[in-house]
Amino acid sequence: MTEKATPSPEAIKAWARLMRVSRQLMESAEEALKVAGLPPLAWYDVLHELAEAGEGGLRPFQLIERTLFAQYNISRLLARLEADGLVEKLTVADDGRGQTIRITAKGRETRRQMWAVYGRSITELVGAKLSADELTRVSALLGRLRHPPASD
């Protein structure tokens, strides 16, 4: 490892804290959903993206891009969501093998129920612990770590 590639002690500390806090926050949000008898957070992410896409739905590759799930994971997840009636697969007219995935009314309701718990978790775990100014700064700093930079 070259001198240039060796992380500084500050970078190592920041990395470790970021990883630990990220895992802790995700586990806490997952636990809140579980206690409420709701599906896991990954389901929310897919249902959210499909709801945002509207009636046209999304192709599986678009879901992979938007959620960053691996192809094999999204295939399994979509099969489970479809089996539970939360999404429907539609054949693409000009592509015999292609599918579009669309959220169902039951999926919208499940997403709404999940958001009530997930949103409360965000408030309790992050929003209640930092001021508005601190939240803005943390968001900006984390945004600088994204590659490519995103506007979210």
Side-chain angles (χ1 to χ4, degrees):
M1 187 178 262
T2 65
E3 193 63 36
K4 196 176 205 179
T6 302
S8 68
E10 296 83 6
I12 294 169
K13 184 176 181 179
W15 175 267
R17 282 191 176 175
L18 183 60
M19 293 298 104
R20 286 183 191 118
V21 168
S22 177
R23 185 180 67 235
Q24 178 186 7
L25 294 174
M26 295 301 286
E27 287 173 355
S28 294
E30 287 279 8
E31 182 63 21
L33 289 169
K34 185 178 179 180
V35 167
L38 294 167
L41 199 49
W43 289 35
Y44 180 84
D45 290 343
V46 170
L47 294 174
H48 172 76
E49 292 300 336
L50 291 172
E52 291 293 309
E55 287 301 309
L58 293 171
R59 302 281 297 262
F61 75 88
Q62 292 172 307
L63 272 172
I64 292 166
E65 290 171 356
R66 293 180 187 203
T67 60
L68 301 178
F69 288 113
Q71 190 276 328
Y72 64 90
N73 286 336
I74 203 80
S75 296
R76 287 186 207 151
L77 180 55
L78 289 174
R80 181 67 196 271
L81 291 169
E82 184 181 29
D84 285 5
L86 304 180
V87 303
E88 59 186 350
K89 294 180 181 176
L90 308 169
T91 304
V92 176
D94 60 346
D95 181 357
R97 294 182 355 184
Q99 295 180 327
T100 298
I101 313 300
R102 186 169 60 190
I103 191 170
T104 63
K106 183 178 177 185
R108 289 182 193 284
E109 177 57 22
T110 299
R111 176 182 175 245
R112 187 193 65 72
Q113 292 171 356
M114 291 179 78
W115 177 248
V117 174
Y118 185 28
R120 187 170 48 250
S121 292
I122 292 170
T123 297
E124 292 169 0
L125 297 167
V126 179
K129 295 182 178 182
L130 300 172
S131 70
D133 184 54
E134 289 168 330
L135 291 168
T136 299
R137 287 192 316 233
V138 167
S139 180
L141 289 169
L142 292 173
R144 288 176 51 192
L145 298 177
R146 300 258 333 234
H147 183 75
S151 59
D152 57 13

